[in-house]
Every structure is written in structure tokens, then in C-alpha cells.
């Protein structure tokens, strides 16, 4: 299952699907404060989220990194089955 911050990250990114979201924006929205250049916190949570939702977390296709800009949740066109 997803931790609270992971769910919040995924939810926010889903609201901005196929759009690049900066690390600073994610930090501010999810943690409610300025990042103060602490990009590692977001990176760790994105990594944990990828381990749970990606087929191959080492080669992500759902949450991709846009170097120098942030992260993007990609609409893969795949249907998600309800469990």
C-alpha cells in the first residue's frame, strides 16, 4: 500500500498528468513548506513510489524524471483494473 506522502505525490501528479512538476512545487504542495534546496526528500519519496507502481523501477515509464525540471506522470493509456 502507499504511504500518506506517496499517495499525496501520486494524487497531485495525477491532477497534472503529462505536465512537468518541479521538485520545489512538489515539496511546497506535499510538505507545505519551501524546499530550501532539499531535493533529496522528494527524490526518495518518488523512488519509493516507483518501486510500488512501476514494472521496472530502474527504468520508469509512469513517473519519469525531467532533468533540471522535475517529474512527470505519464499517461500510458493503460487501463487500471480495480481490485
Amino acid at each position: 500500500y502507499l504511504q500518506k506522502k506517496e499517495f499525496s505525490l501520486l494524487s497531485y501528479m495525477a491532477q497534472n498528468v503529462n505536465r512537468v512538476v518541479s521538485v520545489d512545487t512538489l515539496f511546497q504542495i506535499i510538505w507545505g513548506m519551501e524546499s530550501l534546496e532539499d531535493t533529496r526528500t522528494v527524490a526518495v519519496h518518488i523512488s519509493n513510489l516507483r518501486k510500488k507502481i512501476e514494472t521496472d523501477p530502474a527504468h520508469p515509464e509512469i513517473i519519469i524524471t525531467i532533468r533540471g525540471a522535475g517529474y512527470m506522470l505519464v499517461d500510458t493509456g493503460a487501463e487500471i483494473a480495480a481490485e
Side-chain angles (χ1 to χ4, degrees):
Y1 80 103
L2 298 179
Q3 299 293 327
K4 184 177 179 181
K5 295 291 186 199
E6 294 165 350
F7 180 82
S8 295
L9 280 168
L10 185 58
S11 177
Y12 183 78
M13 293 184 74
Q15 294 171 36
N16 294 280
V17 70
N18 293 328
R19 294 185 194 142
V20 178
V21 181
S22 74
V23 172
D24 287 336
T25 297
L26 289 172
F27 201 92
Q28 187 171 12
I29 295 294
I30 306 306
W31 281 266
M33 61 183 91
E34 296 295 323
S35 68
L36 302 175
E37 302 301 317
D38 180 17
T39 59
R40 192 72 197 135
T41 298
V42 175
V44 168
H45 281 80
I46 292 288
S47 175
N48 292 339
L49 185 54
R50 283 177 172 155
K51 289 174 188 172
K52 295 176 180 180
I53 67 169
E54 296 279 359
T55 303
D56 181 2
H59 301 95
E61 296 178 355
I62 299 170
I63 299 176
I64 60 172
T65 302
I66 308 299
R67 292 196 189 277
Y71 297 98
M72 181 169 57
L73 179 70
V74 178
D75 180 0
T76 61
E79 290 186 30
I80 299 174
E83 293 187 26

